[in-house]
């Protein structure tokens, strides 16, 4: 009976987004075995622009609504270009993925402080529990961490970009398809400006092409459209808190498809994340 009462029209896109985004880490790791980071990113954004251009051609609509060009482009600078570039540069500066995930895990808490004037204590507790669970999931990477002031600074820049960019995107009341072509064009331009100063190596093989297609089409277009739909229709803190699920879901997919066993701490961390998100979603904003 409960199964029939669930609102699958709302749950379905959320589950699909989490699964697509979580698998992105596995495909990215695969692709980066055959290409340098900025080569992979530049070609991913170029492929996304081609796909979005074809979709825009069928819709006969290329640009956002008049009067919103600057705000849409600014979100492209922050979320599409700035966040991704600072993310890669922080890893290149020696920061481990676990430390970076923990820094970015502050986003829902920071968003709560910025957009909800009267923060619900149980929602805040839920976010803190989820952040603690995330820390357990990435604990091995945290223990192996190499800290650098440059890496921490770049990770904080990525955190600022994704947080402010999400808030601005929430204020854009347009179809995601109306804004994504311009935002990815801005992101592609930013990557093209940085790429000449980074290693650019590509091994054209199945191990590169398949991850490129997945990240360039399914993530950059499909999953991002789902994310923007969730941002537009839902509570921003709730939507950003979904990213707490990503490392755990990635580890689960890694186990199911590649056979890599999950540590006990990761399982406990996933449990804490679920409990934390239950508190976040149950409490009214």
């Amino acid at each position: 009976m409960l199964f029939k009462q669930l609102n699958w029209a709302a749950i379905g896109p959320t589950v699909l987004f989490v699964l697509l985004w979580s698998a992105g880490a596995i495909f990215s790791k695969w692709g980066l075995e055959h290409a340098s980071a900025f080569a992979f990113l530049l070609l991913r954004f170029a492929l996304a622009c081609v796909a979005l251009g074809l979709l825009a051609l069928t819709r006969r609509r290329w640009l956002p609504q008049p009067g919103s060009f600057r705000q849409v482009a600014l979100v492209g600078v922050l979320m599409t270009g700035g966040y991704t570039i600072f993310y890669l540069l922080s890893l290149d500066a020696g920061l481990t993925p676990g430390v970076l995930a923990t820094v970015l895990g502050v986003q829902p808490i920071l968003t709560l402080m910025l957009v909800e004037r009267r923060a619900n204590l149980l929602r805040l507790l839920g976010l803190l529990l989820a952040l603690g669970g995330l820390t357990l999931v990435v604990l091995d990477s945290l223990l192996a961490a190499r800290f650098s002031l440059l890496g921490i600074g770049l990770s904080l820049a990525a955190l600022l970009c994704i947080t402010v960019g999400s808030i601005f995107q929430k204020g854009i009341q347009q179809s995601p398809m109306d804004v994504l072509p311009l935002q990815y064009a801005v992101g592609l331009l930013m990557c093209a400006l940085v790429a000449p100063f980074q290693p650019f190596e590509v091994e054209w093989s199945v191990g590169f092409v398949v991850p490129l297609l997945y990240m360039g089409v399914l993530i950059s277009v499909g999953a991002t459209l789902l994310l923007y739909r969730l941002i537009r229709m839902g509570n921003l803190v709730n939507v950003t808190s979904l990213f707490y699920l990503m490392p755990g879901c990635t580890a689960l997919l890694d186990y199911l498809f590649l056979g890599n066993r999950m540590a006990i701490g990761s399982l406990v961390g996933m449990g804490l994340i679920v409990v934390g998100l239950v508190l976040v979603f149950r409490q009214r904003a």
Side-chain angles (χ1 to χ4, degrees):
M1 190 68 178
L2 177 62
F3 184 82
K4 293 181 179 180
Q5 291 176 348
L6 292 175
N7 185 3
W8 289 106
I11 295 176
T14 304
V15 173
L16 180 59
F17 164 71
V18 171
L19 290 176
L20 284 174
W21 206 277
S22 299
I26 296 174
F27 280 92
S28 293
K29 182 179 179 181
W30 186 16
L32 290 174
E33 293 174 356
H34 303 274
S36 58
F38 270 86
F40 186 79
L41 183 62
L42 185 66
L43 293 174
R44 168 191 165 183
F45 277 14
L47 179 59
C49 285
V50 171
L52 288 167
L54 293 175
L55 289 174
L57 183 63
T58 62
R59 301 172 73 242
R60 296 184 179 181
R61 186 178 181 89
W62 298 85
L63 296 173
Q65 295 174 4
S68 64
F69 188 92
R70 289 184 179 180
Q71 184 176 3
V72 172
L74 178 59
V75 174
V77 169
L78 293 171
M79 285 188 68
T80 310
Y83 165 71
T84 312
I85 290 171
F86 284 128
Y87 186 102
L88 284 176
L89 289 177
S90 64
L91 292 175
D92 188 57
L95 215 62
T96 63
V99 174
L100 183 54
T102 305
V103 171
L104 296 176
V106 179
Q107 183 199 352
I109 300 173
L110 185 57
T111 303
L112 178 71
M113 297 294 103
L114 291 174
V115 304
E116 296 184 11
R117 296 180 181 178
R118 300 176 61 184
N120 185 295
L121 290 180
L122 281 179
R123 277 167 66 78
L124 181 58
L125 175 61
L127 291 174
L128 291 173
L129 275 176
L131 181 59
L134 171 66
T135 303
L136 286 177
V137 171
V138 300
L139 184 59
D140 288 344
S141 183
L142 285 174
L143 294 176
R146 291 181 298 154
F147 293 95
S148 70
L149 289 178
L150 177 60
I152 293 295
L154 291 168
S155 68
L156 291 175
L159 172 64
L160 182 64
C161 284
I162 192 66
T163 302
V164 177
S166 298
I167 294 172
F168 284 157
Q169 178 61 37
K170 178 66 176 178
I172 300 175
Q173 293 303 309
Q174 299 182 51
S175 167
M177 266 307 305
D178 290 343
V179 302
L180 269 184
L182 175 60
Q183 290 177 354
Y184 267 93
V186 170
L188 177 61
L189 176 60
M190 293 176 66
C191 286
L193 293 174
V194 176
F197 304 98
Q198 300 292 325
F200 196 94
E201 301 171 357
V202 177
E203 175 191 324
W204 291 98
S205 62
V206 173
F208 173 73
V209 174
V210 172
L212 180 65
L213 289 172
Y214 186 91
M215 298 302 296
V217 178
L218 289 181
I219 294 295
S220 295
V221 180
T224 304
L225 285 173
L226 288 172
L227 173 61
Y228 278 20
R229 178 181 183 272
L230 293 172
I231 289 176
R232 184 183 179 191
M233 304 300 294
N235 176 271
L236 187 57
V237 175
N238 290 0
V239 173
T240 56
S241 65
L242 291 173
F243 285 93
Y244 284 133
L245 294 169
M246 304 306 179
C249 288
T250 300
L252 181 60
L253 292 172
D254 194 28
Y255 169 70
L256 292 175
F257 292 102
L258 300 179
N260 296 319
R261 298 184 62 181
M262 298 177 63
I264 298 298
S266 296
L267 294 173
V268 174
M270 289 176 64
L272 285 177
I273 290 172
V274 171
V275 172
L277 293 187
V278 168
L279 288 177
V280 171
F281 280 80
R282 282 180 63 89
Q283 300 302 314
R284 181 175 299 178

